[in-house]
Amino acid sequence: MTESELVVDLRGTRIATLDDFWDAVAEPCGLPTWFGRNLDAWADTLHNRGISEVIDRHHALAIHVDRTGMFAGEHRDAQALADVFDGERHRLIIHP
């Protein structure tokens, strides 16, 4: 693992549901086909490691999204997803 940051820029990508989010991050984050596509699996991927070789090669992860779709307001799934990120090492950055 290096001290680098993996940056995934999803601005301009339509993300209305968690399924859309999993579809958008699968390739750039190197998620395996058997990835669970749920928040517990995502937490394991970020914090316990050993699921994604791509994420594991980096010290940190930053995912950039637009404040549209599920990130436009107080969407319950968006808040639950944001809670998985620690805000320091792993960040979900919502742009206006």
Side-chain angles (χ1 to χ4, degrees):
M1 178 174 63
T2 66
E3 291 297 317
S4 65
E5 179 176 64
L6 174 61
V7 176
V8 177
D9 192 343
L10 300 177
R11 289 176 284 184
T13 302
R14 183 182 180 279
I15 302 174
T17 65
L18 277 174
D19 281 335
D20 293 339
F21 179 80
W22 305 134
D23 290 343
V25 298
E27 184 178 342
C29 289
L31 299 177
T33 56
W34 50 265
F35 174 74
R37 294 176 63 99
N38 62 64
L39 296 174
D40 289 335
W42 185 242
D44 286 344
T45 302
L46 296 183
H47 305 295
N48 298 332
R49 306 222 162 218
I51 294 172
S52 164
E53 291 179 15
V54 173
I55 291 174
D56 291 354
R57 284 194 304 261
H58 297 84
H59 175 71
L61 171 66
I63 296 183
H64 296 261
V65 296
D66 291 321
R67 189 176 299 279
T68 61
M70 73 180 242
F71 300 107
E74 299 296 320
H75 195 280
R76 183 177 54 97
D77 287 341
Q79 184 57 54
L81 176 64
D83 289 346
V84 175
F85 291 82
D86 63 16
E88 293 177 19
R89 184 169 159 202
H90 302 301
R91 297 172 293 133
L92 177 66
I93 302 153
I94 303 172
H95 294 269

